[in-house]
Amino acid sequence: MESSSATAGVSTRREATRQKLYEAAVTLIAEQGFSATTVDEIAERAGVAKGTVYYNFASKSVLFEELLRHGVGLLTASLREAAESTARAGGGKVDALDAMIRAGLVFIDRYPAFTQLYVAELWRTNRAWQSTLMVVRQQAVAVVEGVLREGVENGEFSDEIDVPLTASALVGMVLVAALDWQSFQPERSLDDVHAALSRLLQGRVSGRRG
């Protein structure tokens, strides 16, 4: 029992250290770029020894790759929880998508530097972690695809929609709108931005009344 508790304690401390390294790396890389950021700077910002970085990650590239996995994993989990919570409450698939939009905005509001890096890296093709990025991106998009497919199957959505492209468009809409909000319209509240995107989702931008 004592051995199990000790192992759990070590695991918890290591996760806490890795979290500090993620936060330090994402902040520095957002500020000055990947190439200009050194392991020494990451260690200093995280408040750990340089050796601690290499104990947890083989290199700066590995750290950044794991940072992408970690960050997109958090986003994916928040999207999934939003969809599942809506289902438990008896909401429909449009409600689920609306809840996922809000969850995405909350995530981006909490992790703006990570979101900036993630969006920037999506368009680069010469990175060692490009294949990993594509995998984790698809994990997030797949959650939205699942809700869309279920909506098509139960008749809530048209069977003419392109599920993969629509899912990508919804995720992209949230990412770009949120970054625009934070960069150029920071005076707007999260509720205000969510309401605007919600109107787009529900087709209420033309002014027509059904």
Side-chain angles (χ1 to χ4, degrees), residues 40-81:
D40 285 330
E41 289 173 319
I42 293 171
E44 182 179 358
R45 180 69 65 94
V48 301
K50 182 177 180 179
T52 301
V53 180
Y54 289 115
Y55 175 75
N56 286 274
F57 305 100
S59 65
K60 184 177 69 170
S61 292
V62 171
L63 167 56
F64 190 61
E65 184 172 351
E66 289 303 312
L67 168 63
L68 291 172
R69 287 183 185 275
H70 176 72
V72 180
L74 291 176
L75 173 60
T76 301
S78 67
L79 296 177
R80 184 177 294 111
E81 175 56 28

Side-chain angles (χ1 to χ4, degrees), residues 96-113:
L97 291 174
D98 191 49
M100 294 165 87
I101 286 174
R102 184 173 186 85
L105 291 173
V106 170
F107 174 87
I108 294 164
D109 188 45
R110 184 176 181 184
Y111 304 108

Side-chain angles (χ1 to χ4, degrees), residues 153-176:
E153 290 168 3
N154 68 19
E156 191 170 347
F157 301 140
S158 167
D159 59 7
E160 295 181 353
I161 68 170
D162 185 319
V163 170
L165 188 58
T166 301
S168 295
L170 286 170
V171 173
M173 175 184 74
V174 174
L175 289 171
V176 174

